[in-house]
Amino acid sequence: MSINPRALSSILLIGVLLSSSTVSAQDAGDEAAREDGSSGLPSWVEADPFSEADDDPLGIDRGDRLERVEPTTVEEEAHGPVPVDHGEVLSAIAGVREVRHDVEVRLADGLARVSVTMRFTSSARLAAEVRYRLAVPDGSSLAHLEVCNERGCRDGRVDGSRGPLGPYDDAVRSHAEVDRPRPVAHAAPVEDERGAAIWLRAAPVPRARRATRRGEDDEAPGIPDGALEVRVSYVVAAPVRGGAARLTLPTRGRDDRVVAASIRVRSDELRGGAVDGVDAVERAVERAAWEPAEISARLSRAAPATSASAWRVSCGDGRCARLRVVAAPRPVRPREVVVLLDASPSTAGPTRGRQPAAVAALLSALPSRSRVRVALFAARAEAVVAEPTAPTDVSLVRVSRSLERELGSATRFEAAWELVAPWVREAEDPLLLLVGDGGLTTGEGATRAFRAARRAGAEVASLDLADRATTAGLRRALAAADGLAVDAGEAADRAGRGHGMEPLRERLAAILAPVVEPRVRARIGRRVVELGALR
């Protein structure tokens, strides 16, 4: 019988493998025997891991009752501190977002009541607190605060409870005592390096019950489940100047977790409510969080020639009266105007750049039959336009170039008066207008010069183009001549940047408009308060 060489090799290989396996098993058995001090088979051979234990891993005879175990709740779990993301506007844990920011501006009685509604949602697993910096115009007063969720609303005011923390903090800590309670909120006006603002705190912002697209519930009635809504109102002065009321809502900041503002303007006594010139009465106007919004409206054509109103309001422990007198706009009359441009070193910078725009606004506001002369002054004075000239014939290029002259380091009105006194004496109904940064080198010489201008029949006024208010020294000097000081820095800056002359013309109307009542007085009991002239 013949044997295939390949088959013989296979038989030999199998024999070798079986021999090796037997030796290895025997060695392992001997090793296990030596470990437990006995001989024979290792202990794990006779052990049955699937029958001797109390629990059956295969689920046949399981006795652990896992089907009856309930998962722990969020309140039962222990967590480390959750990091807070601090944005320019919103500070909260990462899952919190602002999904709605509605603003309604209501203009009435020389005031603007601004009502802001903010809605917040969260995708975080835990309920969250939100802190929000709401930028407001300078001089704003907090009027009302309310916070709401789907269970109801609560006024955000400090209550009388006394605990180791403030009432707001106590309310936040106790929110787990009942199932989904009404929320709490706190507000405080502040003044920081970025300007005036209201700091808001509110809680809790629960986890959203379902995923919603941005703005999905904006028009839905009520508050959706899983959202927190904060409503805050503040009041700021919005007087009528030049027949129009105007104020600017400042930028909130650059923050990718806040949404654009939807702004509407309402008024019963003014018309044409607008945001940056765009009608905001019929349809809301949107502005991004990093964009300012200028609110404006004008007196109705049906407004009376003059109107007056008064209110009594609480002032701490006492009572105060708020008085308001309004005159409807009237056309500017032709007159002779002497413009004195402050060329002192203190005007170098923003003020110097705004002076040509202010002169342009003045020339555009004057009737064509008016006559204008222009001079520069500092420690000395020089004429720029010495002859009476029609407003349309005054060269703005010539005026701008003249501001580069060096006339000394002081701001002496007496030096300017020495130059322009002959112009004033030969003029009919003259107006002497100082255009600068609202400052003056004060002294007896300046006071005498202002009084001399008044005796010569000139009306004296100052237009301040700087970012600060008119100095007390200039105000006192103007008061000696029954003069008027007008601060127009913000309006002049806008005109200088090419964003419109209208706000600056409205500020100039306080100087150019005819006087309706030379002396407005308020009588309170036996006391008489002088309110000045009404234009």
Side-chain angles (χ1 to χ4, degrees), residues 31 37 74 199 217 223 256 383 426 435 481:
E31 183 69 23
V74 171
W199 270 112
D217 294 313
I223 301 174
D256 59 1
E426 68 183 38
V435 180

Side-chain angles (χ1 to χ4, degrees), residues 353-413:
R354 297 168 186 173
Q355 284 176 314
V359 174
L362 172 66
L363 297 176
S364 66
L366 290 172
S368 59
R369 291 188 291 115
S370 299
R371 292 296 177 263
V372 180
R373 301 187 193 194
V374 182
L376 295 175
F377 80 103
R380 305 183 307 278
E382 290 183 5
V384 178
V385 181
E387 297 299 324
T389 306
T392 54
D393 295 335
V394 175
S395 172
L396 289 175
V397 175
R398 182 180 178 184
V399 171
S400 299
R401 289 177 177 174
S402 68
L403 291 169
E404 300 174 2
R405 301 178 189 176
E406 295 290 342
L407 300 177
S409 58
T411 310
R412 300 190 180 279
F413 177 73

Side-chain angles (χ1 to χ4, degrees), residues 116-391:
V116 184
T117 300
M118 294 164 284
R119 183 176 292 175
F120 302 94
T121 61
S122 175
S123 60
R125 186 162 56 92
L126 304 176
E129 178 185 11
V130 62
R131 189 176 185 190
Y132 198 97
R133 184 189 185 277
L134 179 64
V136 297
D138 290 337
S140 299
S141 298
L142 182 61
H144 184 65
L145 175 66
E146 186 180 50
V147 60
C148 304
N149 62 11
E150 74 278 3
R151 297 186 65 86
C153 297
R154 188 198 304 269
D155 285 344
R157 59 190 181 197
V158 177
D159 58 33
S161 63
R162 296 184 179 273
L165 302 174
Y168 170 83
D169 300 284
D170 286 340
V172 172
R173 288 165 60 99
S174 64
H175 80 276
E177 296 178 2
V178 295
D179 181 34
R180 298 180 62 78
R182 290 183 300 165
V184 291
H186 172 265
V190 296
E191 185 79 27
D192 56 25
E193 67 279 359
R194 293 167 56 193
I198 297 174
W199 270 112
L200 300 163
R201 290 193 299 166
V205 185
R207 181 179 182 179
R209 295 301 185 271
R210 60 184 177 88
T212 58
R213 293 188 300 272
R214 181 174 173 178
E216 179 180 331
D217 294 313
D218 284 355
E219 303 300 329
I223 301 174
D225 190 22
L228 179 73
E229 194 164 282
V230 179
R231 304 165 185 169
V232 60
S233 299
Y234 60 89
V235 178
V236 64
V240 173
R241 297 182 175 119
R246 193 179 298 271
L247 75 149
T248 299
L249 304 182
T251 62
R252 285 176 284 157
R254 291 188 176 273
D255 196 324
D256 59 1
R257 294 197 292 168
V258 302
V259 296
S262 177
I263 308 173
R264 289 182 178 271
V265 182
R266 299 281 187 265
S267 181
D268 294 331
E269 65 179 25
L270 302 172
R271 61 181 177 84
V275 176
D276 295 324
V278 180
D279 178 76
V281 177
E282 298 298 330
R283 181 178 299 177
V285 176
E286 283 199 355
R287 284 293 176 269
W290 58 85
E291 294 179 314
E294 185 186 70
I295 311 299
S296 62
R298 305 195 67 84
L299 274 176
S300 172
R301 296 175 181 175
T306 57
S307 60
S309 55
W311 301 266
R312 288 191 303 174
V313 296
S314 298
C315 290
D317 296 332
R319 303 285 290 177
C320 293
R322 183 176 186 273
L323 310 176
R324 180 173 182 252
V325 185
V326 182
R330 298 185 181 184
V332 176
R333 68 181 187 276
R335 61 192 311 181
E336 295 193 35
V337 181
V338 177
V339 181
L340 292 176
L341 297 173
D342 183 357
S344 62
S346 64
T347 62
T351 302
R352 187 72 55 85
R354 297 168 186 173
Q355 284 176 314
V359 174
L362 172 66
L363 297 176
S364 66
L366 290 172
S368 59
R369 291 188 291 115
S370 299
R371 292 296 177 263
V372 180
R373 301 187 193 194
V374 182
L376 295 175
F377 80 103
R380 305 183 307 278
E382 290 183 5
V384 178
V385 181
E387 297 299 324
T389 306

